[in-house]
């Protein structure tokens, strides 16, 4: 019996040394034919199969390891390598490797979360939507990959709650092994673009005309329009802050858009602070003046008919006071008499009074020697300045200064004037002029 066992082990030894073991084969091997890219060539063996060729009574076990012929995402062969074990494995040769055609390494799906887009943007003629945070890439197994994010509106026009398409792309050495994250929809707004006007020029000074109207010299140039858009503007109003005369007045200029303006916000109104409204110059017409008088030591001339203002706007309340003066107060002929004017009334601050005007060039101031009636008696006043006396042909005489101060109260006849200064006096209600 011992001899038989020894011979058997010798046979095993001889087979191992000289390759004389029995070749085995495998039936029914099953592997997983599809996997997702994981940056390895490993394949999963579902069932290594059944050994074919093992003699009855021999104990031989089978193991299998599979791998793809490459690691990258693609269609490729799978190779299954076998190994055997067990008490009688030495009597056999392991089955040859099995090549399976049609294995697939699928691209790995990436994900990106926490993408943040801006809640709105200002119209710029483009569909791009601003990204505040591009998110975090998930499910990658290599570092040679870059995820790209593109966000865009369906159109570039102004609107609220507009859909924004979020699309992802990939780039890098391993881009052929991945699927970009799925596209998604988010929402944002496009707000109107504010336009400005540069270079508007207005006529800053005008004469009072009862309105707030101002005029434009140059309407200026529209700025901030997106290239390719056709937007025009016009000035709808140019007005002073009020109609009244004054300096440093505000002038408002208001604009309005036209053309392809739906995506734009109007410039609205601008203002200038250098406005000035000057008074309206009036003239005078009509009126009359007495161009001769007796000497009274003043230049005053009598206005017999006041002049009327010319140029007052309808609805304004402005009135005219006419004053007349001789060129001097001395006795003489061929004197100029001129008028000067004052205005008054509710709207007088918006006007300038008429210019002074010469109404006579042949004016006369006569020396005094007057006969007048006083009651039922004749009152004769004969001035004699050289002797400081005056003869008043009256029984009772009262003399007052022009300001109403009584300077003489007594009998008529020859009255001494030495205590009286030069000036105008009233003698029993009539004028007496003392001039030495």
């Amino acid at each position: 019996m011992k001899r038989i066992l020894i011979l058997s082990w010798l046979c095993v030894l001889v087979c191992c040394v000289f390759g004389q073991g029995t070749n085995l084969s495998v039936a029914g091997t099953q592997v997983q034919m599809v996997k997702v890219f994981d940056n390895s060539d490993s394949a999963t063996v579902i069932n290594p199969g059944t050994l074919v060729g093992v003699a009855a009574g021999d104990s031989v076990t089978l193991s299998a390891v599979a791998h793809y012929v490459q690691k990258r995402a693609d269609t490729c062969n799978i190779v299954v390598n076998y190994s055997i074990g067990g008490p009688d494995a030495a009597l056999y040769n392991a089955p040859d490797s099995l090549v399976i055609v049609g294995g697939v390494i699928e691209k790995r799906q990436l994900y990106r979360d926490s993408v943040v887009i801006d809640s709105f943007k200002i119209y710029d003629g483009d569909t791009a939507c601003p990204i505040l945070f591009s998110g975090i890439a998930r499910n990658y197994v290599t570092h040679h990959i870059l995820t790209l994010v593109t966000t865009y509106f369906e159109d570039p026009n102004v609107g609220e709650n507009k859909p924004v398409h979020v699309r992802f792309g990939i780039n890098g050495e391993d881009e052929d092994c991945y699927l970009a994250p799925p596209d998604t929809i988010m929402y944002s707004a496009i707000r109107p673009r504010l336009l400005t006007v540069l270079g508007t020029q207005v006529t800053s000074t005008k004469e009072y005309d009862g309105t707030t109207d101002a005029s434009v010299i140059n309407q200026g140039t529209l700025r901030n329009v997106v290239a390719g858009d056709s937007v025009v503007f016009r000035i709808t109003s140019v007005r002073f802050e009020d109609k009244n005369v004054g300096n440093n007045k505000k002038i408002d200029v208001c604009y309005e858009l036209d053309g392809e303006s739906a995506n734009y916000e109007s410039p609205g109104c601008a203002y200038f602070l250098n406005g000035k409204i000057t008074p309206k110059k009036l003239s005078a017409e009509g009126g009359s003046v007495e161009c001769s008088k007796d000497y009274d030591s003043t230049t005053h001339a009598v206005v017999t008919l006041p002049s009327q203002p010319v140029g007052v706007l309808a609805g304004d309340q402005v009135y005219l006071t006419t004053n007349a003066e001789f060129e001097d107060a001395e006795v003489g002929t061929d004197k100029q008499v001129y008028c000067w004017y004052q205005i008054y009334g509710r709207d007088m601050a918006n006007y300038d009074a008429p210019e002074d005007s010469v109404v006579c060039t042949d004016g006369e101031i006569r020396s005094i020697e007057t006969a007048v009636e006083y009651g039922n008696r004749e009152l004769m006043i004969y001035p004699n300045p050289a002797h400081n006396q005056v003869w008043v042909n009256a029984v009772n005489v009262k003399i007052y200064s022009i300001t109403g101060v009584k300077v003489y109260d007594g009998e008529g006849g020859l009255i001494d004037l030495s205590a009286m200064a030069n000036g105008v006096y009233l003698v029993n209600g009539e004028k007496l002029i003392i001039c030495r």
Side-chain angles (χ1 to χ4, degrees), residues 149-341:
V149 184
T150 303
T151 56
Y152 61 92
F153 292 92
E154 294 179 347
D155 62 66
N157 298 320
V158 166
E160 296 291 328
N161 202 34
K162 295 173 68 74
V164 176
H165 295 270
V166 182
R167 288 192 171 177
F168 300 95
I170 50 177
N171 194 10
E173 292 181 19
D174 297 328
E175 65 180 67
D176 57 342
C177 295
Y178 291 93
L179 294 174
D183 295 346
T184 187
I185 297 291
M186 302 180 77
Y187 294 88
S188 182
I190 299 178
R191 303 275 170 80
R193 189 179 190 87
L194 177 62
L195 298 183
T196 58
V197 177
L198 183 66
T200 297
Q201 293 176 299
V202 299
T203 302
S204 59
T205 301
K206 76 166 185 173
E207 183 182 83
Y208 173 75
D209 61 4
T211 74
T212 59
D213 295 343
S215 57
V216 177
I217 301 173
N218 179 6
Q219 74 170 11
T221 305
L222 196 61
R223 295 298 179 92
N224 208 27
V225 177
V226 172
D229 284 358
S230 178
V231 183
V232 296
F233 77 105
R234 62 178 177 270
I235 294 176
T236 57
S237 66
V238 187
R239 298 189 180 281
F240 286 87
E241 61 184 276
D242 59 56
K243 69 176 183 177
N244 298 317
V245 167
N247 297 321
N248 299 320
K249 301 180 78 70
K250 188 171 75 166
I251 301 175
D252 291 310
V253 182
C254 294
Y255 307 95
E256 186 176 80
L257 299 179
D258 205 350
E260 299 174 0
S261 60
N263 292 315
Y264 293 92
E265 182 178 344
S266 172
C269 296
Y271 62 89
F272 301 85
L273 295 176
N274 61 340
K276 182 178 181 180
I277 298 178
T278 60
K280 180 177 176 62
K281 190 71 175 180
L282 297 179
S283 59
E285 68 177 6
S288 61
V289 176
E290 287 188 0
C291 292
S292 63
K293 71 171 185 174
D294 293 335
Y295 177 81
D296 62 2
S297 78
T298 72
T299 59
H300 177 69
V302 176
V303 176
T304 57
L305 181 65
S307 300
Q308 297 300 314
V310 177
V312 177
L313 299 175
D316 282 0
Q317 296 178 10
V318 180
Y319 309 101
L320 191 65
T321 298
T322 306
N323 306 277
E325 300 280 345
F326 284 86
E327 62 182 85
D328 59 52
E330 304 302 321
V331 170
T333 59
D334 298 326
K335 292 180 174 291
Q336 286 189 349
V337 180
Y338 65 92
C339 285
W340 57 277
Y341 306 95

Side-chain angles (χ1 to χ4, degrees), residues 101-112:
V101 177
V104 176
I105 301 178
E106 293 181 334
K107 294 183 178 183
R108 191 175 190 86
Q109 178 69 63
L110 295 179
Y111 301 94
R112 198 168 191 94

Side-chain angles (χ1 to χ4, degrees), residues 368-385:
I368 301 175
E369 185 171 317
T370 309
V372 296
E373 288 292 322
Y374 178 68
N376 295 318
R377 304 178 59 183
E378 186 180 67
L379 173 65
M380 300 295 294
I381 303 174
Y382 295 99
N384 187 358

